[in-house]
Amino acid sequence: MREYKIIRTELGWILSRKKQMGRLIMLQYLYWSKNWWPNKWIAKTFYSQHSAESAMVVMKIKDKKSES
C-alpha cells in the first residue's frame, strides 16, 4: 500500500508517495510530466494547498488504475 503526503517547502507544496516493500522503502515525488521521480529538488511545486490536495486525489486514482 502506498502512502501519499503533501510536503510544505519554502516555495509552496509538493507531493510525495512512499511504498514499503519488505525492508526497502521507495520514496518518490511528483514530477512536472505527472510521473513520479526520486529527486525532491525537481518536483512539481504547487502554490496553494488546495491545488496540491486536488492533484493528490487525481494521482491516487491514476496510480490505482495503473496497478489494476
Side-chain angles (χ1 to χ4, degrees):
M1 176 147 184
R2 292 194 168 121
E3 178 184 335
Y4 294 85
K5 192 175 191 182
I6 298 174
I7 301 171
R8 174 78 169 131
T9 62
E10 294 176 3
L11 297 176
W13 289 267
I14 59 175
L15 294 179
S16 71
R17 74 176 180 181
K18 180 171 80 171
K19 184 175 183 180
Q20 187 168 0
M21 300 174 289
R23 295 174 67 194
L24 180 66
I25 296 175
M26 182 174 61
L27 184 61
Q28 298 174 324
Y29 301 93
L30 185 64
Y31 188 61
W32 282 97
S33 59
K34 295 198 179 187
N35 292 327
W36 294 98
W37 202 257
N39 191 349
K40 179 180 182 177
W41 303 110
I42 59 171
K44 183 175 183 175
T45 303
F46 296 95
Y47 297 108
S48 70
Q49 187 174 6
H50 179 69
S51 61
E53 290 170 354
S54 62
M56 184 174 65
V57 170
V58 169
M59 292 311 294
K60 277 185 181 181
I61 293 170
K62 182 180 174 185
D63 289 344
K64 195 173 198 178
K65 285 184 179 180
S66 67
E67 286 179 357
S68 300

